Amino acid sequence: MKWLVLLLSLLSAVPTILARRDGAPTNEQENACQDLMPQHGVPSQPPNMGFILFSDVIPSGNYTPGETYEVRLNATIGDFAGLFIQARTETNQDDVSSIVGLWTPLSNLSRRAQCNGVNGDAITHSSAERKREQFFNWTAPAIDMGRIHFLYSIVVAFSNIFVKLNATVERPPVTVAPATMPPQGEQGEPFLNSYGEPLGCPQNECAFYVEWRSNGQFIDFRMEGNASGWIALGISGQNSALDTVNRSFSDVLVCQVEAVGSAVNVTDLFLRGGEVTPSFDSSQEGLDLTSGEITGDRIFCNFSRVQIILVGQEGQDVSLSDDNFLFFLSGNATDTVNEVPMDFNTSAVSGNVIFSPARANINRGFVVFTAPFTTLPGKGSFPTSSCSREDCDFYFRWGVNPNNPNYLTFFISADLTVGWAAIGVSRDRRMGGDEIDDIFGCSTNNNLFTGGVEVADTHNVAGGDRRNVGDNSGTDGLVSHRLGVLNGRLECTFSRLITVLPADNTSDFNLDDSYYIIIGTGENPGTPFTRHERNPEWSTSEVNLVRESSVDFDYSRIPLIKAHGIFMVLAWPILAQLGIAMARHMKPAMPNGGWFLLHRILVLSGVFFSSLAFLLIFVAYRNADTRGLIHLGDINGLGTAHFVVGITVIVLQFTNPIIALFRCAPDDNKRWIFKLLHKYIIGCSLQLLPLANVMIGLYLFGDKIVNPRKMDAYWVMVALVSAYSLWDGLLNIYFGYSCHKCKEKTCAVTVEGELGTELKPISPDGSTSHDPTTKPKKKPSPDHWLRWAGWIGLAAIAIPLGITIIGLIGRG
């Protein structure tokens, strides 16, 4: 049976937690030291999604014996919970005996670990607190042991781990410096991209202004700002460069007035996470100053920087070919130490500008959004209209971009860490219906150096195909602002062109029109968006996103699904099962028909609640594109099984009482046909199929409906079915054996007696006779007390556990 297969597959499940709070296990029994595998029972997730070690020892593997080197672990995709790092010799790096060197933590979020008999020959986390960056010191062995490799494992979440990464292999893409620097001046493309502080200021009135363009392998910059000593452009893969607690690594380009005279030079620096004083890059290759001057208290400089990271500058530069956040800084001539700007914490201007220098802006002007997402006027959410950004399964805002009215800006926040979240517009309110659906959103990905999150513009193919495919123009007309997975949520801010590009006239809609709004999520990362495990939500009416600021969804669906589940649990695991047990075990204990009355009350009550639940689920899905039916086939195999079995149960639950109404008399020679259908075929089916289907339904509820995923109601149902089946099976075996051992004539009276059968006590010759005037009371069987104890035992299993399941459904 399908539910049994499902049960067996889930027995290997483990609780979901982030990481061991006190660090990686290092005893030999758990083998973490040998294979660096966290003991989570899940495989590693290839490839590395952006967790990189930087050090002067990497990637050469060469060191000076006894020297201490700083090692930095950087996350380019958000954050992580756990870490485990070792240094091993190259000649025998697969064996734990090759561990060399000693580690020293530089924060209270990490601690020494012992793997090869020496405390500190490995390092791990000391807390499951989320981290973006960690620093350590590694002291090389006192004698030269040959080239070494840093091996490390990362825990993002309990089921999301990266095991035994090799820092020599896991490197950002690099290139050598071009032989010649590009000329500036009139050559190259025009400077289409610009940004000034405050937003919208005229160039010569901005406190800080920068513009840039692509120029072959380089990016050309023109920068100016109000300062007497220096102005700086910070570039970071994360929007936390100015956060004193969670500051991430940043690349910094500084235009600085020389100590003597008025000449201006450009310098390439980098800012370590958690620090406010930058350091010089080991090389200034790939950076060329075209011109620079100071006029009054305003600094001007033009320079070029190579786009991709140069060999030897890994961990010091960021790739300008990727999306990054910009922040601006300035200071006077005294804010320097050894000609390096001193304090980047107090002089920051902004940290919210997305930097996409290599991306074409389709000649529609630069698009930026620096305001808080709460300033966007439009708002939508699910599962309720009042839930907050932190509590909603799906929360989004939108509004016309304040800097460029050709674009509509969206903010999406979804309760997932791996997968995608998207918004769509549709004319016919059918997924893949007669027309396409225009879909845009963001997804996590496996790209090492895009921050782990990307935006995409896609569409669902028309004609019932339901496939999601990328638009012809790719991401033209789509500009990302903020992307990331932080605090357990996928969040992104991006702008989408309101009008339709010529290349996308068959895949995009003009957003200045009215459409049904679709919101959906999926657990498989990457774009185009994969099929969703959960049904998407549709707006109840058409909305013009440019001109309207509210959207409503069917908020009654989740409560109706819960009511469906509650009534089904009440109907089958409790009422109907106890009613069936009453007929099976209690006839001899209540030989005068009381068993039949209770049997009928319990079973018909179950039929009532089951019928009510059946109607509620169709009401719940009345607005779905399948009009009440759960998605079938390859979208959700268990959903198909639940639907088919549910329909079968509903048909059988009405068929069995109808058969009982037309049953023949107990002494009719065709009575066996009724018993075969009512008791064995339909009766046994109605005992087994509903239990299996309730289990499937609770699994679907915990896996597909409840967010975050909760399987507690399903597991309580597994306990109920297991305990009930065991107890009921023992009763069947015992009472069946007792009946077999008793005298045949006695059994004929006590076991086969039925309501309406008027039997006199057995005469000496074994015959019975009907008496139309008297209905003598029959005595309960000698084991009636045991039968009552057995039935009460079944009730003691079904009722408390059933009520527990009902409570879990209501709370889910």
Side-chain angles (χ1 to χ4, degrees), residues 270-387:
F270 67 96
L271 186 67
R272 292 182 174 90
E275 297 184 1
V276 296
T277 302
S279 303
F280 276 106
D281 281 15
S282 57
S283 169
Q284 298 294 309
E285 282 191 296
L287 183 67
D288 181 64
L289 177 70
T290 303
S291 62
E293 63 177 352
I294 181 169
T295 302
D297 286 332
R298 192 170 182 85
I299 298 173
F300 301 82
C301 64
N302 301 336
F303 60 92
S304 298
R305 198 356 245 281
V306 68
Q307 291 190 31
I308 200 165
I309 301 170
L310 299 179
V311 174
Q313 297 186 23
E314 306 97 310
Q316 301 174 1
D317 285 344
V318 299
S319 171
L320 303 185
S321 298
D322 299 328
D323 286 353
N324 291 282
F325 291 98
L326 296 184
F327 57 98
F328 310 125
L329 312 105
S330 60
N332 58 44
T334 62
D335 291 335
T336 61
V337 175
N338 296 327
E339 299 184 355
V340 177
M342 182 176 63
D343 188 349
F344 276 15
N345 186 47
T346 58
S347 56
V349 178
S350 173
N352 293 324
V353 186
I354 197 68
F355 175 70
S356 307
R359 174 177 293 171
N361 279 315
I362 58 175
N363 298 319
R364 281 177 166 76
F366 182 57
V367 184
V368 66
F369 182 73
T370 60
F373 70 88
T374 51
T375 62
L376 295 170
K379 175 182 174 294
S381 60
F382 195 86
T384 68
S385 60
S386 59
C387 61

Side-chain angles (χ1 to χ4, degrees), residues 234-257:
I235 308 170
S236 176
Q238 299 183 37
N239 190 18
S240 58
L242 307 179
D243 186 333
T244 57
V245 177
N246 298 309
R247 176 178 288 112
S248 60
F249 162 79
S250 305
D251 193 358
V252 182
L253 302 173
V254 179
C255 292
Q256 186 173 5
V257 181

Side-chain angles (χ1 to χ4, degrees), residues 728-740:
D728 193 45
L730 292 173
L731 294 180
N732 279 318
I733 293 171
Y734 178 79
F735 292 135
Y737 177 76
S738 299
C739 180
H740 177 72

Side-chain angles (χ1 to χ4, degrees), residues 6 127 146 217 268 306 335 359 443 548 592 626 657 681 700 801:
L6 174 63
S127 166
Q217 299 182 59
D268 199 350
V306 68
D335 291 335
R359 174 177 293 171
S443 172
E548 299 179 54
N592 296 296
T626 46
I681 296 178
L700 291 171
L801 291 180

